[in-house]
């Protein structure tokens, strides 16, 4: 590991120790200040996020778009601070779980579970709950270029028992998770370029990863989509829904879970990561 990467890991560890020593409200104030700094002074992808909101909600006024964008900055700043301070940030949180029976019945089929989520809500808390309530939960993740940050992030996510497979590793590792009746976690809401399939996302064609649908078609493993929605201070709601796979078609399956995700986003637009180039690839 490069020296700069080692220093990054050390600094993140120190930052975690300090965040864990202060109260939840103090961490939230820090996050609010960070959000204000980012919104007012850092232009990186800010206009992209604004444009994405305008695409998704063309009926919104400019003031509503701007107000929602500010809330997006606040939400994800809090998410980041909470992630760094895991497990302290999990102290005394309240979790309401809806649809747990869908996940349980899927595991009972002994075929593994293809579990889908997106860059929406508090996905780290979602991973925590699944890691603690299923025998085997393995998420497919992207490695960070900075190995120090990559090590820190991986260690944080593995605290509740989550395991990792990284992109570009042999695909057989992912199929092995399903063979062991494990839950294979996939984040399937980013632009997949020409390798993806085009489905409607907020009424616009969006290139979407087809891996989740292929895992199901090749193994018959049931598909579940789940999200974690922040309701209020320390109060979260986890929602699990089965994905309709009655039509064994990659496009139809991909559209089915994308539509469920869109429904969640429409209800809580400030909890979606609008900074991705979601509609970059054109049909």
């Amino acid at each position: 590991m490069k020296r700069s990467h080692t220093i990054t890991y050390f600094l993140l560890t120190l930052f975690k120790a300090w965040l864990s020593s202060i109260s939840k409200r103090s961490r939230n104030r820090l996050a609010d200040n960070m959000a204000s700094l980012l919104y007012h002074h850092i232009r990186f992808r800010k206009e992209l996020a604004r444009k994405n909101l305008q695409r998704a909600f063309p009926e919104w006024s400019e003031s509503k778009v701007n107000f929602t964008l500010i809330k997006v900055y606040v939400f994800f700043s809090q998410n980041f601070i909470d992630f760094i301070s895991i497990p302290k940030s999990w102290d005394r949180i309240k979790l309401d779980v809806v649809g747990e029976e869908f996940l349980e019945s899927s595991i009972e089929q002994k075929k593994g579970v293809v579990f889908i989520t997106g860059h929406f809500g508090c996905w780290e808390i979602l991973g925590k709950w699944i890691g603690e309530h299923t025998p085997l939960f393995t998420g497919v993740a992207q490695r960070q270029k900075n190995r120090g940050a990559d090590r820190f992030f991986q260690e944080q996510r593995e605290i509740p028992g989550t395991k990792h497979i990284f992109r570009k590793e042999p695909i057989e590792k992912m199929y092995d998770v399903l063979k062991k009746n494990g839950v294979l976690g996939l984040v399937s809401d980013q632009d997949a370029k020409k390798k993806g399939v085009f489905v409607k996302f907020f009424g616009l064609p969006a290139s979407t990863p087809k891996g989740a649908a292929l895992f199901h078609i090749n193994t018959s493993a049931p598909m579940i989509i789940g999200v974690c929605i922040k309701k209020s201070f320390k109060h979260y709601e986890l929602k699990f829904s089965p994905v309709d796979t009655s039509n064994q078609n990659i496009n139809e399956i991909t559209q089915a879970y994308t539509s469920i995700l869109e429904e969640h986003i429409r209800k809580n637009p400030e909890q979606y990561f609008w900074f991705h180039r979601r509609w970059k690839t054109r049909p």
Side-chain angles (χ1 to χ4, degrees), residues 131-147:
E132 292 175 342
H133 289 80
T134 61
L136 174 62
F137 175 47
T138 302
V140 179
Q142 179 73 45
R143 282 200 181 277
Q144 303 295 316
K145 292 180 180 179
N146 185 308
R147 293 304 185 191

Side-chain angles (χ1 to χ4, degrees), residues 191 193-194 196-200 203-208 278-283:
D191 182 88
K193 302 179 181 179
K194 295 298 183 182
V197 293
F198 284 93
V199 298
K200 290 294 181 68
L204 302 170
S207 176
T208 306
R278 188 63 186 93
W279 293 283
K280 180 180 178 181
T281 303
R282 301 300 177 93

Side-chain angles (χ1 to χ4, degrees), residues 15-16 19-20 23-28 30-31 34 74-91 93 122 124-125 152 156 159 230 232-234 236:
F15 191 34
K16 172 182 176 176
L19 288 174
S20 300
S23 69
K24 169 68 171 174
R25 293 191 184 279
S26 294
R27 291 196 296 271
N28 274 7
L30 174 64
M34 183 172 77
V74 171
F75 179 81
F76 283 101
S77 294
Q78 291 178 352
N79 254 13
F80 175 73
I81 294 298
D82 283 346
F83 173 66
I84 298 297
S85 54
I86 289 171
K88 181 67 175 179
S89 58
W90 294 338
D91 285 355
I93 61 174
C122 304
E124 303 297 351
I125 293 178
F152 180 84
Q156 289 293 90
I159 287 174
K230 187 172 184 178
S232 61
F233 185 71
K234 286 195 172 186
Y236 304 86

